[in-house]
């Protein structure tokens, strides 16, 4: 019997539900049945995830102890994931854009100030610092295989305008909403940073399934959650199935 331990923030909810569904259907990992347990990293008992002592970051002692007690066969990570939209959802009166290196033919917003992708990436890196630190600290705390699950792509304007309080405490001017294409580009920059740390720390990276990404780069409607940022259990299940296929191949 294999043991799956899941760690994450808000996106981990869909992952957990999908994993439990597959577990109940007796799906196997590498030929063996599995059990699973998921921990929400906003649980006050295991916050903050990373503690700095004498200038050195380390994993929260209670969380590290739980990982040691569980002795998981594999750990699924769904940490952070909304940084791309937090950075990109609003555009000021001076609009910005950039050329995405992996797809340089994507259109630029007319009249926007064009930044370098490197500058955008470093801004995103600063925003993701807690997420990247947490991933590194977990890697330091365990020898168990780690699987990082890519967060879902952005949702369309209609969903953001339907749930504005997810991002704005006060009234929101729709004219300041960024374009869907710009938010897609920022999601790709975020994913690049996940891939980078996974490659450096020997962590398996599992990308979002193509079938849930529209031609315009948004989350397909059948995978929408009940708000402006999250996916549903259908997406979570597909991500776990992809992770299981990768683990089985190894």
């Amino acid at each position: 019997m294999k043991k799956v331990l899941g760690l994450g923030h808000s996106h981990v909810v869909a992952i957990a539900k999908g994993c439990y569904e597959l577990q109940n259907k007796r799906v196997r990992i590498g030929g063996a049945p599995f059990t699973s347990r998921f921990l929400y990293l906003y649980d006050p008992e295991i916050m903050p995830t990373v503690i700095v002592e004498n200038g050195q970051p380390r994993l929260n002692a209670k969380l590290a102890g739980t990982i040691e007690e569980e002795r998981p066969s594999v750990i699924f990570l769904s940490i952070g994931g909304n940084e791309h939209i937090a950075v990109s959802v609003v555009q000021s009166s001076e609009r910005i854009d950039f050329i995405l290196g992996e797809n340089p033919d994507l259109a630029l917003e007319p009249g926007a100030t064009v930044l370098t992708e490197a500058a955008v990436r470093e801004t995103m890196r600063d925003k993701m610092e807690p997420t990247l630190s947490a991933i590194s600290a977990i890697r330091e705390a365990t020898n168990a295989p780690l699987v990082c699950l890519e967060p879902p792509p952005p949702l369309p304007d209609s969903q953001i305008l339907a749930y504005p309080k997810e991002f704005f405490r006060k009234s929101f001017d729709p004219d300041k909403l960024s374009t869907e294409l710009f938010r897609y580009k920022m999601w790709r920059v975020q994913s690049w940073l996940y891939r980078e740390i996974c490659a450096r720390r020997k962590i398996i990276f599992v990308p979002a399934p193509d079938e849930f990404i529209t031609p315009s780069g948004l989350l397909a409607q059948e995978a929408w959650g009940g708000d402006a940022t999250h996916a549903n259990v259908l997406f979570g299940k597909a991500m776990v199935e992809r992770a299981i296929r990768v683990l089985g191949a190894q």
Side-chain angles (χ1 to χ4, degrees):
M1 177 74 70
K2 292 185 180 292
K3 295 179 69 174
V4 172
L5 178 63
L7 305 174
H9 296 108
S10 57
H11 289 294
V12 83
V13 175
I15 300 297
K17 290 179 179 179
C19 191
Y20 293 146
E21 184 175 324
L22 293 171
Q23 176 183 321
N24 291 336
K25 290 182 177 179
R26 303 180 185 275
V27 170
R28 293 171 174 258
I29 298 177
F34 71 92
T35 61
S36 58
R37 178 189 178 189
F38 284 79
L39 299 181
Y40 188 51
L41 293 182
Y42 283 133
D43 184 335
E45 291 191 0
I46 52 177
M47 286 185 66
T49 305
V50 177
I51 298 169
V52 179
E53 291 183 344
N54 300 319
Q56 297 298 317
R58 67 167 178 81
L59 194 64
N60 178 294
K62 185 172 179 59
L63 177 56
T66 299
I67 293 173
E68 185 175 355
E69 291 170 7
E70 287 287 317
R71 303 184 72 175
S73 307
V74 62
I75 298 176
F76 289 166
L77 302 179
S78 182
I79 297 176
N82 281 343
E83 295 92 342
H84 70 98
I85 197 166
V87 169
S88 68
V89 69
V90 170
Q91 287 269 26
S92 65
S93 56
E94 182 182 355
R95 313 282 283 194
I96 62 171
D97 207 341
F98 65 99
I99 297 173
L100 183 67
E102 69 179 47
N103 194 347
D105 293 331
L106 292 174
L108 294 170
E109 183 173 358
T113 298
V114 180
L115 304 179
T116 65
E117 183 177 8
V120 173
R121 185 184 304 123
E122 293 314 303
T123 298
M124 183 72 76
R125 192 190 303 275
D126 288 344
K127 185 68 174 178
M128 289 182 67
E129 194 280 330
T131 292
L132 301 176
S133 293
I135 292 172
S136 288
I138 293 168
R139 175 72 288 170
E140 290 292 328
T142 179
N143 291 322
L146 300 184
V147 177
C148 179
L149 306 174
E150 184 176 37
L155 276 77
D157 292 348
S158 59
Q159 281 294 96
I160 291 177
L161 293 173
Y163 299 93
K165 290 186 178 179
E166 285 193 53
F167 310 104
F168 314 106
R169 295 181 180 178
K170 299 179 181 179
S171 60
F172 170 57
D173 181 357
D175 290 338
K176 292 185 177 181
L177 182 65
S178 60
T179 66
E180 293 174 344
L181 180 56
F182 182 73
R183 297 198 299 275
Y184 167 75
K185 291 179 183 180
M186 294 297 281
W187 175 64
R188 297 312 305 150
V189 171
Q190 176 184 267
S191 293
W192 189 95
L193 290 167
Y194 277 116
R195 290 174 184 270
E196 178 190 52
I197 194 170
C198 287
R200 191 170 71 246
R201 303 309 303 268
K202 294 181 170 53
I203 298 169
I204 299 168
F205 179 81
V206 175
D210 290 341
E211 61 265 31
F212 290 129
I213 304 175
T214 68
S216 57
L218 303 176
L219 183 66
Q221 185 169 1
E222 64 266 28
W224 293 359
D227 56 26
T229 55
H230 296 99
N232 59 23
V233 64
L234 185 66
F235 181 88
K237 180 181 174 183
M239 289 299 294
V240 174
E241 287 175 328
R242 293 199 108 192
I244 287 174
R245 284 197 295 272
V246 172
L247 291 168
Q250 293 186 352

